[in-house]
Amino acid sequence: MAEYDPQIVEAKWQKVWQEQNAFHAEDNDSSRTKYYLLEMLPYPSGTLHMGHMRNYTIGDAVARYKRMCGFNVLHPIGWDAFGLPAENAAIKRGTPPREWTNANIAQMKSVCQRFGFSYDWDREISTCEPEYYRWNQWFFLRMLEKGLAYRRRSRVNWCSQCQTVLANEQVIDGFCWQHDTTPVEAKEIEQWFLRITQYAEALLEGIGELAGGWPERVLIQQRNWIGKSQGARARFDVAQIADLSLEVFTTRIDTIYGVSAVLISANHPGLEKLLEGVRGASGMQEQLKSMRAKSVRAADIATAEKEGFFTGRFAVNPFSGESAPIWVANFVLAEYGTGAVMCVPAHDERDFEFAEKYHLPVTIAIQPLQGTPLRDDRMNEAFTEYGRLVDSGPYTGLTSEQALVKMADDAKAKGFGEPQITYRLKDWGISRQRYWGTPIPVVYCEKDGIVAVPDDQLPVRLPENVTLTGQGQSPLASVPDFVNTTCPKCGGPARRETDTMDTFIDSSWYFYRYTDPHNDRAPFDKEKAAYWFQIDQYIGGVEHAILHLIYSRFFCKVMHDLGLVNHLEPVKRLFSQGMVLKDGAKMSKSKGNLVGAIEMADKYGCDTGRLYTLFAAPPEKDLEWNEQGIEGASRFLNKVYRLVSKHAGSVRGIETDLTSPTDLASATAKEKILIRRTHQTLKRVTNDFDVRWHFNTSVALIMELVNELQAQEPLDVEVSPLILKRVLMALTLMISPMTPHIAEELWEMLGFSGGLVQQQWPRYREDLTREEQVEIIIQINGRVRSKMLVEDSLSEDELRERALNDPRIKPLIDGKTIVKVIVVPKKLVNIVLK
RNA sequence: GCCCAAGUGGCGGAAUUGGCAGACGCGCUAGCUUCAGGAGCUAGUUCUCGCAAGGGAGUGGAGGUUCGAGUCCUCUCUUGGGCACCA
């Protein structure tokens, strides 16, 4: 008997699949229901690590299962090929980004093929190819036309040593990654933005449509990210400056009688005017400079020690008429709300902390509805809940809920404010001062200003052979051939935009390109996209819960408004797969904790690797990687191989298929066990694939079936070859989505030719899953005291009677008072004693 | 700091709708078998008291709801992810 050699088996079947082009998806196949299954496109870092492996194994198992269920499955892959790492590699090693990237793609593609992932390689895309990125440019131009793309000044991380812009990742504890003694500064430059905020409400509404198909946690995170808040704007006039006022946004206008100060951002546009003529203003400029120069990362700002200074100016509280000092505070964001907030220490935690540090008064404006009233000399934390207003002029006595409405309305009536909805979502800054990305297709003409590159001149090609230093301005600015051009409008001299686009643009619409990957007249054909969309199932890491998935949804809505698609959400169902951790942290190149898939393939074979990945944990759960359990997967496949090859000789000649009827009545006892176990396993594995997506339990169930088969050896006694063949067929088909190579081999051993990719998923029969008897547990006061085997059909009364007369139960309840007896049919009887 | 998750044996995990906690696998222990391979087979393996039968405890921690809680509620601790220029 031949031993199972995964390397030989896997190479053999991969060749067959390749020759058959087995996984090509046909457009507009009207005979079958389409199923678009997609895993998030990888960044070609060069190593296909266990995080990818897990993602693709899950996807592939589902793709193969769906094909077996009769769907026309689109299962594509491509490469998110632009981005920072290629540029870093170029700086470090001098390898041109394209060369580095393409070598990585080739490497990772070969690993994907080696693992037998059933992709339609005819549809492979790479975002760094002009054929792809010209459509990024095309989309940008459409957005420019619609006023969705615009330019404004905005802050970036700046290293004064490198004289260059740093990505957040390149900022380590506030210092440049290359110069760990140079603190990163913030610098304001002109940048391109996409007006995603215009779609804030639509993005929020769409969440309703996604409920049910997307994980709840992702939707919650997106809703919070968009951060709609119903609040009010109120204008505080600045004392002594007639034409200057500060607008604050607050969600707690009910607390306004507790204002101790007005806090404004160091980047507030009115600051300059505010400080004019103030004594000591020059000293303040120093402080402002240092506050403005801090890192622009939100997490850094939020965790920084609260700092501020008094501007010397006062503002008038429009409700109370009292004056409040105006402070600059580092935790007030210029980008959110109005860039100014009212400081109410008694009812806001951050304000309380700020007031403690700078000894601002704490004035109570809200008292709790119940419990001990607050005293302003006894507060050691803010009271942030709703309550009843006190010392609030005409509003005293109202509840917070009442006051929120009335005060906002009054502000509007009196002309110093109004109710307002604000979103936390900010416009999407897409300019990158980098080389390896999509050139932004505009030119700057002295005469005509900003001029869009016309469609027929796309793509604006990224020049090759550019020397990257990691220093100074955008690398493209030092390529004269690129920069110097003519204005499409007037024909005069013009300069090209030298910034490139955020790579999130590439990944915001790539899944449409798969439906029509070679189209050179449009990003995709509308008909083709209409056939395949929406994506039936998207699978990817939970770390993409917000950014990628919000940008994609935004793009879809813009495309809808451009008339390119007729749906509003690109992804019907999302599966958020858990991360693969190593040493307690996400496996990623930047953390240097990668474990490659190829090593595992060499050592154990790909099917073993696939099986173990699925078996190790349910797919939504984070998985700390170690290879401790992989032997188990390897042993199991060997066991199955031995089992099938042992019996192949006696069953391979038998003609049968799984749809022919099975007669339980004439079966032997052994056959009954095997038939029932097989159908029970089929039922639960089908449920795992269709509903639960818990492949770890599928594997466990199939292992149990194999154990049962072994326990029933010898299988050529009291088991007809026909029954045995059917059991082995079902077993082979069940493992095939997870371990496709060995399954093909076993299928062939069972006497079939033509491969099993086209085979149908086996159906279970409910009547064949049922056992004749069920086990009922008997509890006393919730503790198991006995068990009994009874007929399935027993009534509640009969169950109660039998339980009370159970020989182990009787002595325990003798002489005690039975309070009640709870009977759960087919499960348990619980006797409650006093 | 803010938002979102997750915590069950020595380890990965199971318990699908509130109903036997620890399926399946790894590891370990003992035995068998084989001629030495990272093989196969059998039995055992949460902790604890006990020779045993059997009892008690137990799902990060503290409370609560319930006949019954890993599962529901409140608080809390720890770990992981995201925080807009890593992708």
Side-chain angles (χ1 to χ4, degrees), chain A residues 9-25:
Chain A
V9 169
E10 285 163 8
K12 170 180 166 186
W13 290 102
Q14 278 159 22
K15 197 163 159 249
V16 171
W17 294 331
Q18 207 167 351
E19 281 163 4
Q20 294 178 342
N21 200 8
F23 310 114
H24 178 68

Side-chain angles (χ1 to χ4, degrees), chain A residues 299-401:
Chain A
D300 290 342
I301 296 166
T303 50
E305 155 110 32
K306 293 196 174 28
E307 273 175 37
F309 63 87
F310 175 46
T311 60
R313 294 282 185 193
F314 290 85
V316 182
N317 184 330
F319 277 91
S320 67
E322 282 173 24
S323 91
I326 302 171
W327 287 62
V328 173
N330 65 343
F331 61 94
V332 180
L333 305 174
E335 295 86 9
Y336 178 75
T338 56
V341 300
M342 55 189 215
C343 173
V344 185
H347 305 297
D348 181 281
E349 275 164 38
R350 288 176 314 171
D351 293 347
F352 188 86
E353 200 185 313
F354 190 75
E356 284 220 305
K357 179 166 177 181
Y358 293 108
H359 309 292
L360 295 172
V362 177
T363 309
I364 291 165
I366 308 285
Q367 284 289 357
L369 293 171
Q370 291 159 354
T372 331
L374 307 169
R375 283 178 50 178
D376 45 20
D377 57 342
R378 293 252 177 101
M379 286 186 80
N380 40 33
E381 59 176 354
F383 173 73
T384 58
E385 285 156 51
Y386 284 178
R388 195 173 293 284
L389 275 70
V390 294
D391 300 325
S392 296
Y395 306 98
T396 302
L398 296 182
T399 62
S400 293
E401 289 88 343

